[in-house]
Amino acid sequence: MSHRALEDKRPRWGRMIAVLVIFGLLIGGGYFAYKTLWVTYGPSIMNIFGKEANDYEGTGIEETFITIYEGEFGVDVANSLEEADVVKDANVFYKLLLKKPDVEFLPGSYRLKTQMSAEVALEAILDPENKINFGAALREGLTVEQTFSVLSAGTGIPIEKFRDAAAEISVFELPDGVESLEGWLFPANYEFEPEASAQDILTILVNYQKEILAKYEVPFDKQLETLTVASIIEKEAGIIDDFAKVSAVIQNRLENGMKLAMDSTAQFGVGEHENGNVWSSDEALTSENPWNTYVHEGLPVGPIANPGEAAIKAALEPADGNWLFFVVAPGGSGASTFSETLEKHDEAVYEYQLWCEETPDSGC
């Protein structure tokens, strides 16, 4: 396995001075000053003595899943673990890998826990019991192509097999007008029978999505529209608590004859949906493709991702509010600021842009 070096962000100068200062304050009884300095220099002091400050302790809390893809490096795995909150800091996990050069990761989905120590997380990934055999962990909001990648990693079936199976759209008995499986592959954690083919697996996912639509009594001729709205909610809302509010914005804009002007649809239409950017390019905003809701009125031609049950429920049950606009709120929580007027919305956009400028590492 190849490793790529992650940046070591620990401060290198003045650490020994900090050690002496803190010990001196302890001897002199300066507890308050000691406590203040420890907040600033404590992590560096712990690193000097070989203890990682940015590492969780223990064996984890809640069950979660990650997927390791064919060809990923140790740094990729480390970043995936941090993103899923399995480990506290990707650098800490990666440094552990550097001490174990013989470690090799097998592609596939793994059943882990949130907030594990780096050592425990590594042991868990290397434990065959935690690998989902012939299965996959599919999170909400993946596109069809992203779903195929996860399924291929988890089953070993070539991705081309899933593409070929999905092209036979009539096999899945979907409503008129459905031209792809986008939106129809229900996100969940799956384990399949060893003899299952790509066609069998996609049928299982589609049937689960059909069951959710049936649960909410969505008429057959309204299923495509519902999944389209739900997919926009899934991609636009940063937290589940905002799902129903985003749904309300979509409904209010449609009822008022406004263009939806959703960046997620514009980005999907030109293939920018995988870069994670909040802001869309000029190409995305002006493209004439049928998903671009900045150019075309009404809903896009179809779903832009695979929504989960919460997004489908929100599409059918929008919140009660007159909001017409929303933008990511400052703070990094994923929440959005909702506004009824363009003036208030512009203020919210400015506040978010200002926060992005002041916190350049926030990922804006």
Side-chain angles (χ1 to χ4, degrees), residues 7-28:
E7 180 183 0
D8 185 354
K9 300 179 179 179
R10 297 175 301 168
R12 296 180 180 276
W13 298 102
R15 292 185 295 183
M16 291 308 299
I17 295 175
V19 175
L20 296 175
V21 170
I22 290 174
F23 286 152
L25 287 169
L26 277 174
I27 295 172

Side-chain angles (χ1 to χ4, degrees), residues 1-5 68-78 81 93-107 110 122 125-126:
M1 181 186 72
S2 299
H3 296 309
R4 296 176 182 166
I68 298 176
Y69 300 95
E70 185 73 42
E72 283 196 323
F73 295 89
V75 64
D76 302 311
V77 177
L81 290 171
F93 184 83
Y94 188 74
K95 283 167 57 182
L96 178 62
L97 287 183
L98 294 178
K99 300 175 183 177
K100 302 174 183 290
D102 294 331
V103 166
E104 293 186 4
F105 296 122
L106 297 176
Y110 291 81
L122 179 58
I125 294 176
L126 298 179

Side-chain angles (χ1 to χ4, degrees), residues 28-59:
Y31 173 76
F32 176 77
Y34 150 75
K35 187 174 181 180
T36 301
L37 284 173
W38 183 256
V39 171
T40 303
Y41 295 104
S44 297
I45 304 304
M46 294 174 74
N47 284 336
I48 290 173
F49 291 104
K51 182 175 178 57
E52 295 290 356
N54 294 325
D55 195 7
Y56 291 125
E57 297 182 359
T59 58

